[in-house]
Amino acid sequence: MKFFINARYLIVPVSSLITIFGIFLGSTYAWTGVILFGFYTIIDTLTKDIHLKAEVDNDGNSYGIKIFQYLVMYVMLPVFIAIQIFLAWRLYQYTSGATLQNLSLGLIEYQNGISGLNLVGAIISSGLWAGLGIIYGHELSHNKKEGFFVSRLIMALSGASHFTYAHVYNHHLDLGHEDDPATAPRGRNVYLHTWLSHAGQSKFSFDMEAKKLKNQGKSFVNKDNRWLLGYLYSLPSIFLFVWSGGVIGLLALATVWILSNFLLEALNFMGHYGLIRKDGAVEHRHSWDNDSVFTSWFFIEIGRQCDHHVRGETYFWELDDVGGPNYGIGYFSLFVLTLYPPLFRKFVQKHLDNWDKNYATEEERSIASKFNIDTSSLASIAS
Amino acid sequence: MKNINAFLAIGALTLSVAALLYLVDAHQNFRNIYWALGISLTLLITHVTNMAIYFKVAGDKPYKWFK
């Protein structure tokens, strides 16, 4: 039991390694990461009705092994770096005009050189798995020790090191309020939300450092500026892609960053879309749970948002179903819906109606009604 | 409108830097380690400056629900 409960959270680490291996093998295997993403979307959809509680032993203690889970999360940093190195290697080959030929490394046969089409596959695969891997950056952002710094480095690989501060000191404190850029209001689509949330969180970190440095009597351009430092941590990635691929390398890095940040913000979008908090403490009802079995295991329980936002420093393997608002489907399935905003809005409306009726306070309902008026007026304009 | 102005300013700066890099043949020298480092630093500074421009032009909290 203990082994299974800990091993089930290894889907992303193993899949990331398979994605790297696919990029190494080359040819159509470079698309492995994309195919895995599609395959997992199907599994998530098929298992959407299976919901499990957090398992504990007879004494009520979790089966999770902290040292093992933390080791996995720390090891994910070099794994994500490896994804970028292998992609850079392919960019180097492509921009150098390496001839396509099959070579062997021991028993493994791989293709040296890569076609333009398969390079696109390698880039998208890298972006998707860099984005899915951000779940570790999220989990470690709640660690007060070295894990916080590892989170900063993981996020910097996607140009989003500011996330670590903004997530803990902005998103968690201002959840469900318009001061939280990561909470999407009703009517906003995931594409606009991606930019507004990304820039908003960076702005939070920017303001935080500006205020701190001003109080310390230091200039903004300073080695103690953690907003600037966060971007500086991204310099090795930029260097790697510029050196290996020039303009094409830069386009590849931009694609990886955009894809990974899109997935990160899509998670924020799905976790809190349309929910409202009028001051007061954060409660379970201020988040959407996504706890179908595959989502739970794949995303290391990040879908248990209701519990996570009330017990922010609880290890992911201890989070549980708390009876909060729930879409009833997993993140992969819901993500597909968010890609087509009218479909997402149609799907989510009944859940929002239920939230307004059964979870919201009078004040929260009052704010919600402003959105409902806005939405109907927009609809009348559109028609 | 503020968002559009911000993106216009960001676009102008980015295009200027791209043109500058092109004029100094950065696209032909990127395999030289020192060139690659210089190009990367230039791009990073441009990105950071673009973010700061966005914060300045787009206003305090462009993600606010009700404006």
Side-chain angles (χ1 to χ4, degrees):
Chain A
M1 188 68 167
K2 199 165 189 169
F3 172 79
F4 169 71
I5 284 177
N6 285 279
R8 68 192 188 185
Y9 297 120
L10 293 176
I11 302 172
V12 170
V14 171
S15 301
S16 299
L17 292 173
I18 294 172
T19 297
I20 292 171
F21 191 58
I23 295 170
F24 167 71
L25 291 180
S27 66
T28 50
Y29 289 111
W31 290 86
T32 300
V34 181
I35 293 164
L36 279 175
F37 190 89
F39 178 62
Y40 291 149
T41 302
I42 295 169
I43 293 180
D44 189 52
T45 307
L46 292 175
T47 57
K48 71 181 176 62
D49 293 327
I50 306 173
H51 301 266
L52 302 176
K53 299 280 288 181
E55 288 94 344
V56 291
D57 62 20
N58 292 333
D59 298 325
N61 298 317
S62 167
Y63 287 112
I65 304 170
K66 183 184 170 186
I67 193 166
F68 173 74
Q69 296 299 348
Y70 262 79
L71 185 66
V72 171
M73 288 193 283
Y74 289 162
V75 166
M76 286 310 286
L77 173 61
V79 169
F80 294 135
I81 293 171
I83 289 179
Q84 294 201 345
I85 289 174
F86 274 85
L87 177 59
W89 170 59
R90 286 302 184 183
L91 282 162
Y92 185 94
Q93 290 192 326
Y94 183 77
T95 51
S96 303
T99 313
L100 297 181
Q101 55 180 328
N102 290 334
L103 298 177
S104 294
L105 184 71
L107 293 172
I108 303 166
E109 193 171 283
Y110 68 99
Q111 189 178 67
N112 196 52
I114 189 164
S115 68
L117 184 63
N118 290 329
L119 182 63
V120 169
I123 293 168
I124 298 175
S125 291
S126 301
L128 287 175
W129 287 90
L132 292 168
I134 275 173
I135 53 177
Y136 299 100
H138 165 263
E139 182 68 21
L140 290 172
S141 73
H142 290 282
N143 181 280
K144 293 266 185 279
K145 298 176 184 170
E146 71 285 344
F148 192 85
F149 183 61
V150 176
S151 166
R152 293 264 285 161
L153 296 180
I154 288 177
M155 301 309 294
L157 291 168
S158 298
S161 192
H162 58 261
F163 167 89
T164 308
Y165 282 104
H167 179 77
V168 179
Y169 299 109
N170 185 192
H171 178 54
H172 268 258
L173 300 182
D174 296 321
L175 181 75
H177 193 275
E178 63 176 338
D179 284 341
D180 173 29
T183 299
R186 299 176 190 196
R188 185 185 287 173
N189 66 60
V190 71
Y191 305 104
L192 180 61
H193 179 72
T194 296
W195 169 251
L196 291 177
S197 181
H198 175 85
Q201 290 175 74
S202 183
K203 175 77 162 56
F204 173 83
S205 182
F206 176 93
D207 288 343
M208 187 176 78
E209 292 308 288
K211 191 176 172 186
K212 179 194 80 179
L213 292 166
K214 191 179 175 186
N215 288 341
Q216 293 175 351
K218 294 177 180 172
S219 75
F220 186 76
V221 181
N222 192 293
K223 66 177 174 51
D224 295 329
N225 185 328
R226 292 171 297 189
W227 181 74
L228 285 176
L229 269 181
Y231 283 107
L232 202 57
Y233 295 154
S234 299
L235 185 61
S237 288
I238 301 173
F239 173 80
L240 180 68
F241 281 79
V242 164
W243 176 79
S244 61
V247 175
I248 294 174
L250 198 59
L251 290 174
L253 181 66
T255 306
V256 169
W257 279 15
I258 289 170
L259 266 178
S260 54
N261 280 284
F262 180 62
L263 291 180
L264 165 69
E265 297 308 340
L267 285 174
N268 276 328
F269 183 81
M270 295 185 287
H272 307 287
Y273 176 84
L275 299 186
I276 296 156
R277 183 175 65 90
K278 179 80 172 101
D279 306 323
V282 171
E283 296 180 30
H284 293 143
R285 63 199 168 84
H286 295 122
S287 304
W288 295 107
D289 258 351
N290 285 69
D291 66 341
S292 60
V293 66
F294 189 75
T295 285
S296 289
W297 296 355
F298 185 95
F299 290 97
I300 57 169
E301 309 289 359
I302 203 173
R304 294 203 191 276
Q305 286 282 297
C306 300
D307 196 9
H308 170 65
H309 272 280
V310 171
R311 301 191 296 154
E313 287 173 23
T314 303
Y315 302 124
F316 69 82
W317 56 90
E318 293 176 354
L319 295 172
D320 208 350
D321 177 19
V322 289
N326 197 317
Y327 288 119
I329 62 174
Y331 273 146
F332 278 98
S333 321
L334 190 61
F335 173 69
V336 173
L337 295 181
T338 66
L339 296 177
Y340 186 58
L343 189 62
F344 172 75
R345 281 198 287 272
K346 190 175 178 184
F347 169 80
V348 85
Q349 191 55 52
K350 61 179 181 289
H351 295 287
L352 285 173
D353 290 343
N354 179 51
W355 189 85
D356 291 348
K357 187 179 173 189
N358 298 313
Y359 290 98
T361 63
E362 206 50 55
E363 285 177 310
E364 290 164 349
R365 254 193 295 275
S366 167
I367 297 171
S369 67
K370 293 184 191 172
F371 286 110
N372 295 337
I373 291 164
D374 288 345
T375 308
S376 57
S377 62
L378 282 175
S380 64
I381 292 165
S383 63
Chain B
M1 193 60 195
K2 281 182 176 177
N3 262 297
I4 294 171
N5 288 340
F7 280 113
L8 285 174
I10 286 171
L13 175 66
T14 307
L15 281 176
S16 305
V17 172
L20 185 72
L21 287 172
Y22 181 79
L23 287 173
V24 298
D25 288 339
H27 59 295
Q28 289 173 344
N29 294 298
F30 63 87
R31 280 283 160 72
N32 179 299
I33 293 284
Y34 299 109
W35 270 89
L37 190 60
I39 296 166
S40 304
L41 264 172
T42 305
L43 292 170
L44 182 65
I45 291 167
T46 306
H47 180 51
V48 169
T49 309
N50 277 338
M51 293 304 290
I53 288 173
Y54 180 78
F55 301 153
K56 188 79 179 168
V57 180
D60 191 32
K61 289 180 176 172
Y63 50 83
K64 284 270 188 183
W65 300 351
F66 304 108
K67 293 173 182 132

